[in-house]
Amino acid sequence: MPSSQRTFPVQTGAHDTALTAGNQVRVRADGDNLSAAVAVLTHPDLAGIVDVVAWVRDGWLTVANAGGASRVALADPTGPWQVLRGHDPVAVQDPMHGVPMDAALDDPSPPNSRNSYPLAGVRLASAFADPHRSPDIVVVHSAAHHWPERGGHLGEHGSLDAGQSRAPLLLSGAGVRGRGMLDRFARTVDIAPTLALLAGASMTGPQGAEIDGRPLADLCEPGARHVVGLLWDGANCNDLLNMAGTGELPAVARLLARGCALAGGAIAEFPSVTLTNHTSALTAVGPGRHGILNNVYFDRETGRRIIANDSSTWHVACDQLRDGVWTIFEAIAAARPGVSTACVNEPVDRGATYSTFALV
C-alpha cells in the first residue's frame, strides 16, 4: 500500500472492516461480507467517490450511500421506495433531468442530492436478475469522480444517473410519422420493437412472447422498404442534438428534418456500457434476461470471467445470450421469410442473413 494512503477501521457489530483512502478498499469480515462491504463503501470518507451502492436481499432491492438508504420490493421495482435512513439516494428519478444542453451545463457533474436516476428500480432489478452472472453488490462512482492517474477521465460511462444513461434516439424517413423535437423519452429496450414495427415484424412471438420494451407505435408505422439502424455508441443525445442544431452535424440535421428526435433520448439499461446496451437495443430485454451483464463479468455457473467487449471476443458475444432471447434479426426472419437482413460491426448478430462479425 502506498505510504500516502490511510486505513480507517470501521466497526459493524461482529464485522472487522477497513476503509482505505485513495484507490483501494479492503474488507475483512468474520461474518456477513455484504454488510461489511456496504459499511465500508458508504463511509463518509468515500462520499466523494461512491455515489450509490445497491444490493438485493430477502426480496428487497436496497440502495445506500453516506447520506442515506432506501429500498423497493423486487416484486414491483416501479413501486414506492421506503426510506430507511437519511436521504433517499434515488429520490429523484426524472428521465428529463439535465435536458436540454443548457440545463446540463448549468450543473455539470452534480452531487447525489441534485442528480437524477431514471427508472432506478427497474434498471437495477434487471441487473440483479441473472442467477449466475449478476453481481452481489453494485458500486456506482459519483458524477465528478475519476482516476486521472490511472488513465481515467470525467464522464466515464456505466453509471445510473441521467447524464450517463441518456443515449440519442432519432427516427427519420419512410414510416416515421413523428416530426421535430419531442419532449419525451424512451428506453433502449424499445429500439428493437420499433425497428421490427417499421420492418413489418414484431418482437413478440414463439420465442419472444415477453419483452421489456415496447414499439413506439405512435411515431412509426409498418411499410418501410428498407430499415437501417445506426448505433451512436457513447453519445449523449444533448450533445448530438445540440451539434445538429448549430450546424456542426448537418447530416443529423437532415435526418431530423425528415423525422423526429426524443429530447430525453433512450434511457440505457444498467450498467450503461456498450455490450449490455447494444444487446438490450437489439433484443428488447434487459441484462438480467439476455445475460450480457457488463462488458466484463463473472459467470459463477461456469467459473469463467467473460470479456464481452474486446476485439478478440466481440464476434462470439452472442454465444452468451440466455435461452429464449430473440434478436431483431430472428424476429424479422420469422415474420418475413426470405427478407434479407445485415449486421455490420455489431456482435448481436444472431439470425442476420449477413454479418461482418460472422466472417471473423
Side-chain angles (χ1 to χ4, degrees):
M1 179 187 302
S3 59
S4 61
Q5 294 182 342
R6 297 172 296 153
T7 299
F8 304 90
V10 181
Q11 299 299 323
T12 56
H15 311 294
D16 178 17
T17 69
L19 166 69
T20 304
N23 296 325
Q24 301 176 15
V25 173
R26 297 182 302 161
V27 178
R28 298 187 302 271
D30 298 325
D32 186 345
N33 286 309
L34 177 58
S35 297
V38 170
V40 170
L41 293 164
T42 58
H43 192 280
D45 285 287
L46 285 184
I49 297 174
V50 178
D51 187 24
V52 175
V53 179
W55 66 96
V56 166
R57 176 180 281 178
D58 299 330
W60 292 94
L61 166 64
T62 304
V63 297
N65 59 18
S70 64
R71 70 179 187 176
V72 68
L74 271 181
D76 182 15
T78 65
W81 287 74
Q82 300 178 5
V83 178
L84 302 177
R85 65 173 174 83
H87 172 76
D88 181 358
V90 293
V92 180
Q93 297 189 22
D94 179 12
M96 303 300 288
H97 177 89
V99 173
M101 173 74 82
D102 289 346
L105 294 179
D106 284 344
D107 193 13
S109 303
N112 177 266
S113 59
R114 295 200 307 271
N115 214 336
S116 178
Y117 305 85
L119 310 173
V122 172
R123 296 163 66 206
L124 284 171
S126 182
F128 283 109
D130 191 289
H132 301 293
R133 299 176 180 176
S134 290
D136 296 309
I137 188 170
V138 159
V139 185
V140 180
H141 65 76
S142 67
H145 185 69
H146 67 305
W147 283 275
E149 69 277 9
R150 295 192 177 187
H153 52 82
L154 285 171
E156 289 175 287
H157 67 323
S159 296
L160 187 68
D161 70 353
Q164 289 296 321
S165 302
R166 183 178 293 115
L169 184 53
L170 189 154
L171 303 167
S172 179
V176 176
R177 295 196 299 258
R179 287 292 181 268
M181 193 75 68
L182 305 178
D183 190 27
R184 55 188 281 188
F185 72 97
R187 299 173 60 190
T188 56
V189 290
D190 298 333
I191 293 172
T194 303
L195 291 173
L197 173 67
L198 284 163
S202 171
M203 289 300 295
T204 60
Q207 297 181 56
E210 296 182 4
I211 57 174
D212 297 330
R214 59 178 182 83
L216 303 180
D218 61 323
L219 302 179
C220 305
E221 60 189 5
R225 183 176 180 183
H226 301 288
V227 178
V228 179
L230 301 174
L231 282 167
W232 282 299
D233 195 323
N236 184 292
C237 69
N238 272 345
D239 298 301
L240 189 84
L241 298 176
N242 183 70
M243 294 174 74
T246 60
E248 295 177 81
L249 295 176
V252 175
R254 287 195 296 271
L255 290 173
L256 183 55
R258 296 186 59 205
C260 62
L262 306 192
I267 301 300
E269 292 299 299
F270 181 81
S272 52
V273 296
T274 296
L275 254 296
T276 295
N277 280 279
H278 282 218
T279 309
S280 292
L282 295 175
T283 63
V285 296
R289 294 183 59 192
H290 62 59
I292 311 298
L293 270 294
N294 207 324
N295 286 340
V296 180
Y297 56 91
F298 185 77
D299 189 329
R300 299 178 189 83
E301 187 175 33
T302 62
R304 292 175 56 213
R305 180 173 180 252
I306 308 297
I307 303 175
N309 188 24
D310 183 83
S311 59
S312 64
T313 58
W314 280 352
H315 62 290
V316 292
C318 257
D319 293 348
Q320 303 302 324
L321 288 180
R322 289 304 198 186
D323 292 341
V325 174
W326 217 7
T327 71
I328 179 67
F329 308 109
E330 292 171 314
I332 292 174
R336 302 191 61 189
V339 170
S340 294
T341 56
C343 189
V344 179
N345 293 344
E346 169 55 58
V348 188
D349 61 351
R350 195 174 68 193
T353 310
Y354 169 84
S355 169
T356 52
F357 275 13
L359 299 176
V360 180

